[in-house]
Every structure is written in C-alpha cells, then in structure tokens.
C-alpha cells in the first residue's frame, strides 16, 4: 500500500489550486462540491472559474504567500518547474499537496470518485494508471445505482436511534446487516421509506431476537480468488472470526474483513496446530459467544464427507447457531477423455519405498 486511503473534511477550509486551465477547473470543482473555499492562482484563468461563486481568483504567477492559511494545495499547471515549486513550498509548511500526473511530488493523490452521497467510493492506482481507475469506476456505476444514496441517508437518519437501543457493537453490526440486506433496504430503494421505517422500528422492538452466532464453511479452492463464489465473498465480509488453514492462499485471506480476528489452524507434516476435533470445538465455542465464524478451508470442504462430519459435530454440541455452506463447484471431468482416475495416497517417514517407482510407471 503506497498511500493511506482517507477522506479529508475540507468544509469551510481554504484550498489552493495553482493553474487556470481545464484541469485546474475540474480540481476546483471537486473541492467546491466538498464544501471547500477555493483560491485559484495563475497568470491566466478560465472565465468559468473567475465567475464561479466561492472561488478567489488571483491572476499572477505563483508565490509563497499564496499558501497562507491554506489547508491543502493542488498544482495543475503544464510547467513541471512550477509544480515542483508548489510541492516543495507546501511540504515545507506541512501542507498536503497534490501535483497532477506526477506522483513523486505528491503527499496525497486525488482518486476517481463514485458519488452516492452520503455514500462515497474512491478508486486509486497510486498514480500508476488514472485511466484504469476511471474504468473501474465505470464498472461500479452499474453495480451501485444512484438510489443507494437514499439508502445511505436512511441509515444515517436512524444511526443514533439504533446505537441507543442496540448497545452491543457486534449485535449492532448484525442488526444493520440484516436491515440493509433485507426487506427494509428493498422498501427504501423502492421509495417506500414509511414502510421501511415501520419495519426498522419493529426490528428494534425485537432486538433480543437478533440472529447470533453462525458458522460458515467456505472452500477456498486451489487458491485463485477469481474462483470464489459470490456467496463465499459475501460471507467472508460478514465474519467476525476467520479460521483458516495452510492451504488457503494469502490473497484469499486478505479478502476477509480487515477487522476480523484471524486464527491459523494449518497442518504441516509432524506439526498440527490444532487437531480436527479441537477445530470443531473451537468453531462451536466461538459461535456460542455470538460471533459469526468463517472456516476457510483449502479446496472443497465437502470433499471426503468433511461437511457431513462437521454437521454431525455441530448437532452433537447442541449449538443454537446455524451452519452455512458456501462451496466451490468442483470442476467436471471431460467424460470423453477421462474414464478412470486412480488416486494413491502413501506416507513414509523415510520417504523411500521400492514400490513407489513401480506404481509411477
């Protein structure tokens, strides 16, 4: 990670844009939308900027005093020497600075933005490829409709009320997940906020019945994140605890919630972190604490009847929680080419057996 993703509150703050062309006009426009006061400095400034409300225009070459009282600065000229001067002087004053298309001179970068206010999504390649980030934004435009702004505003309106009624942070997160993934969200997106509010109030009245501990079995397949099912991805983002083994690739583990607790239970030759029986007990114990537990298993966890064994263990422990399965579909074998697939599994501490070479032939 080359840059720390943050959202900067610039409402009512003075921001500097050095440059008066088309690029500077776009940057000034973004700052104005965020509620900033904008100072534009350039020998020539676009008339549209001069006439825009909330913009202080100074027709002059950039000078040090233009940084006075500034919270952040953006250099958007076509002269690198000027951009470099802005960057150096701003950094000397500990002012955050962005230089358009020159990441080396930046202390922050301007991402591509998907605006569904109050929901905001920002994309960045760290300055490596602005075109790619805009392409990604275009893809998500179709996945996150404009009316999601209405859903975000609805959640914001009831945030304090829900926090007052549901004081446990874990239960509160589960409450909101149930609301925003269910009928309440559907009503809001359809424009029927009155019905949505009534349903939310009913959910608060039944706060003691919020779904508690659950266990998800997710097969990580051969390690390629692209082979995960959509359901697996959804459950990976919901889990409070992630229990994973040695066969799960790092990219897949990193796709789980960043704030989730991660417990490694991998097995290597002569080194079993936890026996299978203890792993099953661990899953039950965590679920009984009201946590959503993800058992992330390399390959397909239903292989060799593993899911069946786990289900029986779950029932024996009489847990009040639920067991979910999100499994990869095993690739089918081509029937015209594969008639029989013998598998031999052998183990030898000395790793030497005269029969192995014969079988291989």
């Amino acid at each position: 990670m080359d840059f720390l993703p943050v959202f900067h509150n610039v409402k009512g703050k003075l921001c500097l844009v050095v440059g008066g062309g088309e690029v500077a006009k776009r940057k000034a426009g973004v700052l104005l939308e965020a509620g900033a006061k904008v100072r534009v400095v350039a020998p020539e400034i676009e008339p549209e900027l001069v006439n825009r409300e909330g913009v202080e225009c100074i027709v002059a070459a950039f000078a040090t005093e233009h940084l006075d009282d500034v919270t952040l600065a953006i250099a958007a000229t076509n002269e690198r020497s000027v951009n470099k001067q802005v960057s150096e002087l701003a950094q000397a004053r500990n002012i955050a600075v962005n230089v358009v298309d020159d990441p080396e001179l930046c202390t922050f970068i301007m991402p591509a933005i998907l605006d569904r206010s109050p929901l905001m999504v920002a994309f960045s390649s760290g300055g490596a490829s602005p075109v790619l980030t805009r392409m990604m934004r275009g893809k998500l435009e179709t996945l996150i409709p404009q009316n999601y702004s209405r859903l975000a505003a609805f959640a914001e309106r009831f945030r304090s009320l829900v926090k007052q009624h549901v004081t446990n942070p874990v239960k509160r997160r589960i409450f909101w997940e149930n609301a925003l993934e269910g009928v309440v969200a559907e009503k809001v997106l359809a424009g029927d906020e009155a019905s949505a509010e009534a349903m939310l109030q009913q959910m608060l009245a039944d706060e003691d019945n919020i779904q508690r501990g659950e266990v998800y079995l997710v097969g990580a397949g051969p390690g390629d994140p692209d082979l995960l099912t959509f359901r697996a991805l959804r459950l990976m983002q919901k889990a409070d605890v992630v229990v994973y083994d040695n066969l799960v690739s790092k990219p897949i583990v990193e796709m789980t919630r960043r704030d989730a607790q991660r417990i490694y239970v991998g097995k290597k030759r002569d080194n079993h972190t936890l026996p299978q029986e203890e792993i099953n007990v661990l899953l039950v114990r965590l679920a009984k604490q009201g946590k959503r537990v993800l058992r992330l298993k390399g390959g397909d966890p239903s292989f060799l009847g593993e899911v069946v064994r786990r289900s029986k263990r779950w029932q024996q422990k009489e847990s009040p929680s639920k067991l979910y399965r999100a499994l990869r579909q095993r690739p089918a074998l081509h029937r015209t080419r594969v008639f029989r697939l013998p598998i031999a599994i052998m183990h030898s501490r000395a790793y030497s057996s005269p029969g192995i070479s014969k079988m291989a032939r």
Side-chain angles (χ1 to χ4, degrees):
M1 185 185 297
D2 296 325
F3 290 86
L4 177 67
V6 296
F7 287 87
H8 198 152
N9 184 1
V10 295
K11 284 185 174 63
K13 306 289 181 62
L14 181 61
C15 299
L16 173 67
V17 176
V18 180
E22 186 66 29
V23 176
K25 184 174 70 175
R26 290 200 305 270
K27 301 301 182 184
V30 172
L31 291 170
L32 289 170
E33 289 178 9
K37 299 175 183 177
V38 179
R39 173 184 293 166
V40 177
V41 177
E44 296 182 8
I45 301 176
E46 289 268 343
E48 188 176 337
L49 267 177
V50 175
N51 299 324
R52 190 157 183 179
E53 185 179 353
V55 177
E56 172 195 359
C57 289
I58 301 176
V59 181
F62 169 74
T64 306
E65 58 266 22
H66 295 144
L67 288 167
D68 292 346
D69 303 320
V70 166
T71 296
L72 65 80
I74 298 176
T77 78
N78 55 8
E79 297 183 19
R80 194 174 193 275
S81 59
V82 176
N83 292 343
K84 185 176 180 180
Q85 181 188 17
V86 174
S87 176
E88 291 175 348
L89 291 175
Q91 291 187 57
R93 295 189 180 198
N94 290 322
I95 296 173
V97 60
N98 170 265
V99 178
V100 177
D101 291 336
D102 202 336
E104 293 181 0
L105 298 180
C106 297
T107 61
F108 78 95
I109 52 179
M110 296 285 286
I113 299 170
L114 179 61
D115 189 356
R116 299 290 185 263
S117 295
L119 178 66
M120 294 285 291
V121 183
F123 303 86
S124 173
S125 62
S129 178
V131 174
L132 178 60
T133 58
R134 287 195 292 269
M135 289 172 57
M136 294 301 299
R137 181 191 62 188
K139 290 179 181 296
L140 280 189
E141 286 275 2
T142 60
L143 298 176
I144 307 177
Q146 187 65 44
N147 58 0
Y148 265 64
S149 60
R150 183 185 304 153
L151 183 60
F154 178 87
E156 183 181 34
R157 182 153 56 96
F158 287 96
R159 182 179 179 185
S160 296
L161 180 64
V162 172
K163 188 174 183 179
Q164 179 182 348
H165 281 76
V166 188
T167 56
N168 182 286
V170 174
K171 292 184 70 174
R172 187 164 59 244
R173 180 177 59 79
I174 294 173
F175 175 90
W176 276 119
E177 287 177 352
N178 292 339
L180 298 178
E181 291 179 352
V183 181
V184 172
E186 292 176 5
K187 292 292 184 182
V188 174
L189 294 175
D192 188 0
E193 291 197 21
S195 296
E197 180 175 348
M199 292 178 180
L200 193 75
Q201 294 285 5
Q202 183 60 45
M203 290 176 64
L204 284 174
D206 297 336
E207 184 249 332
D208 290 337
N209 294 324
I210 294 175
Q211 178 63 54
R212 302 197 68 207
E214 298 173 336
V215 169
Y216 314 133
L217 291 177
V218 173
D224 187 347
D226 291 339
L227 297 179
L228 291 170
T229 65
F230 287 117
R231 189 184 188 196
L233 292 171
R234 179 172 61 84
L235 296 178
M236 289 166 68
Q237 286 298 309
K238 291 175 67 174
D240 303 302
V241 183
V242 179
V243 180
Y244 67 102
D245 61 39
N246 192 48
L247 297 178
V248 181
S249 65
K250 184 178 179 181
I252 289 181
V253 174
E254 292 298 325
M255 294 174 73
T256 59
R257 275 177 45 206
R258 285 188 176 273
D259 59 337
Q261 178 186 1
R262 295 176 182 176
I263 302 176
Y264 175 73
V265 293
K267 301 180 181 67
K268 296 181 180 179
R269 179 177 176 268
D270 293 332
N271 182 18
H272 290 197
T273 306
L274 277 181
Q276 186 60 56
E277 192 69 19
E278 292 186 24
I279 294 175
N280 294 342
V281 172
L282 173 66
L283 299 179
V284 174
R285 176 168 56 81
L286 291 170
K288 282 187 173 182
Q289 295 173 4
K291 297 178 180 179
R292 295 180 174 184
V293 186
L294 173 72
R295 175 62 173 106
L296 198 53
K297 177 74 175 174
D300 186 341
S302 66
F303 193 61
L304 297 178
E306 181 171 301
V307 167
V308 176
R309 292 203 311 273
R310 290 172 187 269
S311 297
K312 289 180 179 178
R313 172 64 56 183
W314 198 249
Q315 294 167 4
Q316 290 169 5
K317 294 295 180 180
E318 298 180 350
S319 170
S321 310
K322 293 183 179 179
L323 177 66
Y324 286 82
R325 305 183 187 101
L327 312 176
R328 287 185 64 257
Q329 183 177 3
R330 291 191 294 275
L333 299 176
H334 199 296
R335 292 186 178 181
T336 61
R337 296 191 180 184
V338 180
F339 299 94
R340 185 175 57 183
L341 180 61
I343 299 177
I345 302 175
M346 288 179 285
H347 175 74
S348 173
R349 291 189 178 275
Y351 290 98
S352 62
S353 173
I356 293 180
S357 58
K358 294 181 180 180
M359 290 186 66
R361 289 196 294 268

